[in-house]
Amino acid sequence: MTELVPLPLVMIEPLVRQALLEDLGRAGDVTTNAVVPADAQVTTALIARQPGVVAGLDLASLAFRLIEPALHVSVAHPDGSHVERGQVIATIQGPARGMLTAERTALNFLCHLSGVATATASVVDAVRGQKAQIVCTRKTVPGLRTVQKYAVRAGGGANHRFGLDDAVLIKDNHVAIAGGIRPAVERARAGVGHLVKIELEVDTLGQLDTALALGVDAVLLDNMGPEMLREAVAMVGGRAITEASGRITPATAPAVAATGVDLISIGWLTHSVPVLDIGLDYQA
Amino acid sequence: MTELVPLPLVMIEPLVRQALLEDLGRAGDVTTNAVVPADAQVTTALIARQPGVVAGLDLASLAFRLIEPALHVSVAHPDGSHVERGQVIATIQGPARGMLTAERTALNFLCHLSGVATATASVVDAVRGQKAQIVCTRKTVPGLRTVQKYAVRAGGGANHRFGLDDAVLIKDNHVAIAGGIRPAVERARAGVGHLVKIELEVDTLGQLDTALALGVDAVLLDNMGPEMLREAVAMVGGRAITEASGRITPATAPAVAATGVDLISIGWLTHSVPVLDIGLDYQA
Amino acid sequence: MTELVPLPLVMIEPLVRQALLEDLGRAGDVTTNAVVPADAQVTTALIARQPGVVAGLDLASLAFRLIEPALHVSVAHPDGSHVERGQVIATIQGPARGMLTAERTALNFLCHLSGVATATASVVDAVRGQKAQIVCTRKTVPGLRTVQKYAVRAGGGANHRFGLDDAVLIKDNHVAIAGGIRPAVERARAGVGHLVKIELEVDTLGQLDTALALGVDAVLLDNMGPEMLREAVAMVGGRAITEASGRITPATAPAVAATGVDLISIGWLTHSVPVLDIGLDYQA
Amino acid sequence: MTELVPLPLVMIEPLVRQALLEDLGRAGDVTTNAVVPADAQVTTALIARQPGVVAGLDLASLAFRLIEPALHVSVAHPDGSHVERGQVIATIQGPARGMLTAERTALNFLCHLSGVATATASVVDAVRGQKAQIVCTRKTVPGLRTVQKYAVRAGGGANHRFGLDDAVLIKDNHVAIAGGIRPAVERARAGVGHLVKIELEVDTLGQLDTALALGVDAVLLDNMGPEMLREAVAMVGGRAITEASGRITPATAPAVAATGVDLISIGWLTHSVPVLDIGLDYQA
Amino acid sequence: MTELVPLPLVMIEPLVRQALLEDLGRAGDVTTNAVVPADAQVTTALIARQPGVVAGLDLASLAFRLIEPALHVSVAHPDGSHVERGQVIATIQGPARGMLTAERTALNFLCHLSGVATATASVVDAVRGQKAQIVCTRKTVPGLRTVQKYAVRAGGGANHRFGLDDAVLIKDNHVAIAGGIRPAVERARAGVGHLVKIELEVDTLGQLDTALALGVDAVLLDNMGPEMLREAVAMVGGRAITEASGRITPATAPAVAATGVDLISIGWLTHSVPVLDIGLDYQA
Amino acid sequence: MTELVPLPLVMIEPLVRQALLEDLGRAGDVTTNAVVPADAQVTTALIARQPGVVAGLDLASLAFRLIEPALHVSVAHPDGSHVERGQVIATIQGPARGMLTAERTALNFLCHLSGVATATASVVDAVRGQKAQIVCTRKTVPGLRTVQKYAVRAGGGANHRFGLDDAVLIKDNHVAIAGGIRPAVERARAGVGHLVKIELEVDTLGQLDTALALGVDAVLLDNMGPEMLREAVAMVGGRAITEASGRITPATAPAVAATGVDLISIGWLTHSVPVLDIGLDYQA
């Protein structure tokens, strides 16, 4: 399996600082400051309350350390690990105040990103053995694209375009405004460099035929059923990368993957997943 | 019903600028720039593809205008409106390039926030006629707290604490570290001003009894079933605000509300809701 | 007395960085760089040149460390301490260049915030033995609200609203535009959640009577003399928190406090106080 | 008199945005949003409640417009004007909600900066007819240096160094560490360019003699009484700019100015002045 | 020729604001404010003092408008135009103060970016008629990558990778550390998605042979002379994109292009070009 | 020679963070992450590929450490050193991944700033033995003024104005709009404080005569040949600082310096210099 490489600190630190300030507001943690003695020490454990895949430990850990450098995080199951209900993901030891103040921000990152990783893994597992890669889209939560894409990788998925500038993806509306597939693709080829791949969304096999004749690098087969997908893959015959999309779920993914497509792209992995329920348990 | 007041531009503009830059990357919209003529004009409509409650039109609209000031947005169903599948939420008219470039960022805000509003409304509707207010928590997506809380209001809910500094909320771990409910509450009262309310999480009726004796302003009745909640509400007898929490859903909310609690707080409204599916249709 | 809890580093670091850059400009400390040898070491002492209460040592200390990590600050009288003229607040040891470059920024924070703390303490001391708390307002120096509020706490005061979103405070202009006290209070109650307290500004006992009938949580008794305040407190009879305001000074505060009000709010603590004169003495 | 030139918008906009966000917090103006109808319009007037000099109208005006572009500000007495108690400084017309929401931030800037301008004018007036210029120092409120310096100009004063990089100012501690006045000045001359002026702090006439022999551009005559100042000015005989400093007030300034010094520098103009009391009156 | 699409305002505004503040410092344009009457109006012209290609007018124009919205810029030769010595690029009309204050920042952007465009065009012109595209690299001036890449497009060039995340480019050091070309390419293929192209730097024809056998998408033929390049292109035979690099100049580019390579990448276009000399002439 | 004092970290860290993020984009270093094992260690050397003067090691070093704190940089030739082709400037040891990821950003700073330092030194060397100082101008690359000015100092030059607010520099257009040299200088003297120097650009000896009669502090002798410069210097006779400008190169500088001018200001040092070619060699 592909190694999951951590994001550089310089990429995640601004997000964690922003999130902490959002929670601290102007007066800080008034409850903890009033109720908890300054010298109280605690040991806690991040516990999975349901099975899933972990992602976001670096962000959670940074939240704790930015609030209290004396908090020590010891990771048992790093990002990308499958955990079972009740398993300890990490233990944290240090001043109780910092622990309580950073807890919610740390969990908000960890539960959300683990939710993305877990959802991804659920589809990746469903198509295991097939060649199809599971990829995410640009339908992300504003501000979190970099870390959501990372969470998809933690779940065993891959990343499609990170933004509008990554590659050409000609959609139906581009085609309509450009006056057809041919002028759209020709303008794209003339307008971008040799190293930029061109992908075209097609809804019918007729469009696919045109696309192949124009030599596009990839085709987005949108909302096609398995049978039509299989036919499309056969038509392509390896001349282009094939990507299936359209509300594919763990239940429907195996049939889609079985058609032989290269990529299955899924928007809900980043826009509509529940958190993975992870709690911070305080040891007696 | 409470009027939904828009957020000031000064609060949402930084979020929208950040999200646009995240999508534009370093090269901008290479597809649209290559494929779509500079002078093409389009009219589009934001269409609900499923029933729900709208939230986030100001952010979506700002995304369009920041990319292309010549884009005119005309709103048919403002934030807070219930829309049916197929209804037009707004129409947008202007240069095709700007429309296509801003589309994804605009939709990412609109669909996510409408998802939050729709989820909130589903619980609000479920308890209509009861006095219980539906409130959200601090379990929000990092960076989006302000706008998620707004979306909860759009869905007919109310907002609990916005951050650690809003009010005192003494949870089980605070109590454990402080050495009991009494020292925790006493320290809290000594440590914060007269205007700050003190809420205490209680898991048993015995704890509730202690809390009431200490005169807390509100009690968080955590993970109690309807019967126990009803007993708790009776014990409180109006001496404190009562808040029920613990994975309450539209299905279980009516029974909870029927116990007479003042507030039902629900974390998943902001951390685990699917988007409301809204599309941008290009008119022929 | 209430413990003074330090602000998290994540809250003060942006302020200190901004202030240092404001002083360094584009060329840095041209005097020190030209005149002082790179290897010169000094020991200095922060000395109170007048009696007062210290606040802002964390910001001053951070200014020194951000310019020169080798500067070691050793605190003798932490924030919240009363110091006499001539007392050493802290000693600092390390490279002379960093000391001289950071000195002004460190002192600008320390002297200003100690000025706020000292002014607060002067009123707190004046009402000692009475139940009235001294609180500050939203009349703060732009950009410094968080740290000024902290300095008020260092001086023994408490904090009223931190911003427009903390609690409802209905002032005379709100009442006038809303068409009276009753509609104003009723709209407020309908428009905000159960946990938000509602305070109303009243100028006469007649208004107070109306306010009490409407069940507001607190009343702001604006510009009333001690006799009228005493009458007001009697009318309230514990049914609401009472707050006196209106240019109250250490000289007039005892009479105000003696009326039995709960809070005395004072704008000038944060908008019009002189610095506490603290110097940095270089030891021979 | 010198014309007072407005600061470019690009310099003040970040300050005003930061201050508004500090006050709006995460929920905005909950009182106004609940109590004031969306369509209510008001006319208000900024009224001087005491005599003084106005400064900061551009910042106040920007605060109103950033919250509500429909607010129109009409200025009667621009920055730099002397106003009497009761005079109208500006009138503002537009939506009541925006007026109420922006009011405190606008006043916080206006009252503080007018306080600085008024204090400056009080000393400028005291020395009118003498050649001495009144100048401020680097003892400013962190974050506000640019606008405080502007307010000093509004009050008829001038600006000394804006930061550590503006000019060389060799103080007593620099001299001590450098091993004497001569090495300090010589290193300074060798270390900075021809266009940078060199000023030296001197405490005695003996030091002044040394300084003049070394040809410094300006001398800071620190904490000298009028008689000694007069002697110092005579010694200088026009060979250097003379600056007097040391807790000079409107009462003591005339005697200082009469000694013939070129500059009188005063730290308290920017670090210890009360606000000018300016209110926002709502017209019936 | 490819249309040159403007960068969205949201991408360039932060750069222009930062540059203006860098020049305004803390006191603004003291010369203009003192010397130029507030009501003086001028008409000026941006004049090419040498032949070249224009780039950066949007940034220059924004600099003028951010300082003074009343400045009107009328463009005669937009970005991408070839201009001769003495030709008017644009005329600007409005208040003299704003013109003088913004002038240097506007010219700093315009002259630098036009310098990049002109250098690019010099190589593009040199290879006209050949298929080779001229592309820039990641050797850019820190902070300006987006606008420098735009300037290369203005000069008729194309853009290679915008950053480390755009595509895989395996260089000699990657190969050395990975233990050879084969493991490097195989790890790359396993580690990135289907849509990411893989380019390999090769220094010898033997390495090229290995690369082709591994099926890389593109080869970077580093520091090869024309003869060896020609041989390399023949070996590739269209199976991969060929990119030549290594200090190629307008003088050497034709011979390189004649070898049939697809891309000629040149670092000095963005790191070592002189400005295009453009002046702002004030009309009598 | 003047000591070269490092810039405080607080001034350079924002630039380095911005540059790293610009290169990392949204996905980070996809090549290195895929190809290089996480545990690979390397030793590298920054090698001068041509003779020159080093500047920017602190920025380069910070780039490495922000990406990977385990990278250790050991400097052999610090900023300001002359290095010969092939000399080792610094060695770096640590994880291969961090080395490869930070390499380009580090080199972009180091090569550009060393280019500025080297160009400066070439002119400084050309006038060695003359009193003339070599100074840079405000014609800098947007965003990099502070570090470019530093690089000029590293090359043995000095800095003229850092921005519009440093000193008065009255140029030909100011004079034209003000209605002549006399009104321009008189307004400047009236409008700025005693400590601000006034410099006037003159193109003819007649203008110089007027300037001297008005007692300006410095004269900018623009585009004069050596003979006319010599005459001008004689006319000035030490009454003002003399600055020569106008496309002066290492070849023409000796003749200019021989005229006895105090300053030679050169714009191209910061706007049109090639990088110093420095490579990062990986040791076997």
Side-chain angles (χ1 to χ4, degrees), chain C residues 13-90:
Chain C
E13 189 177 329
L15 289 174
V16 178
R17 285 184 181 271
Q18 176 188 23
L20 286 171
L21 290 174
E22 192 182 49
D23 203 25
L24 289 164
R26 288 158 303 206
D29 186 350
V30 292
T31 305
T32 296
N33 292 349
V35 170
V36 173
D39 57 357
Q41 301 283 318
V42 287
T43 300
T44 65
L46 289 163
I47 307 275
R49 305 221 189 286
Q50 60 182 126
V53 174
V54 179
L57 278 170
D58 279 354
L59 294 112
S61 181
L62 186 57
F64 285 112
R65 282 182 294 121
L66 282 174
I67 288 295
E68 175 52 82
L71 287 170
H72 293 289
V73 181
S74 171
V75 173
H77 288 88
D79 282 6
S81 307
H82 282 261
V83 287
E84 295 305 318
R85 177 188 161 104
Q87 272 191 313
V88 171
I89 297 168

Side-chain angles (χ1 to χ4, degrees), chain B residues 199-271:
Chain B
E199 180 168 11
L200 181 76
E201 177 184 328
V202 297
D203 301 323
T204 68
L205 297 182
Q207 289 177 334
L208 176 58
D209 197 48
T210 309
L212 292 170
L214 290 163
V216 299
D217 299 295
V219 285
L220 176 60
L221 307 165
D222 199 32
N223 281 317
M224 297 182 177
E227 200 161 342
M228 191 170 167
L229 277 176
R230 195 177 309 267
E231 204 170 341
V233 170
M235 274 179 67
V236 172
R239 286 176 290 167
I241 294 163
T242 51
E243 173 183 354
S245 80
R247 294 160 201 273
I248 296 160
T249 66
T252 62
V256 174
T259 65
V261 294
D262 298 307
L263 304 175
I264 296 175
S265 63
I266 307 180
W268 60 262
L269 297 180
T270 48
H271 69 58

Side-chain angles (χ1 to χ4, degrees), chain A residues 23 35 138 145 247 277, chain B residues 23 138 145 187 247 277:
Chain A
D23 202 26
V35 169
R138 286 170 43 239
R145 185 163 294 172
R247 293 158 204 276
D277 191 1
Chain B
D23 203 24
R138 287 169 44 241
R145 187 163 293 171
R187 278 190 207 144
R247 294 160 201 273
D277 190 2

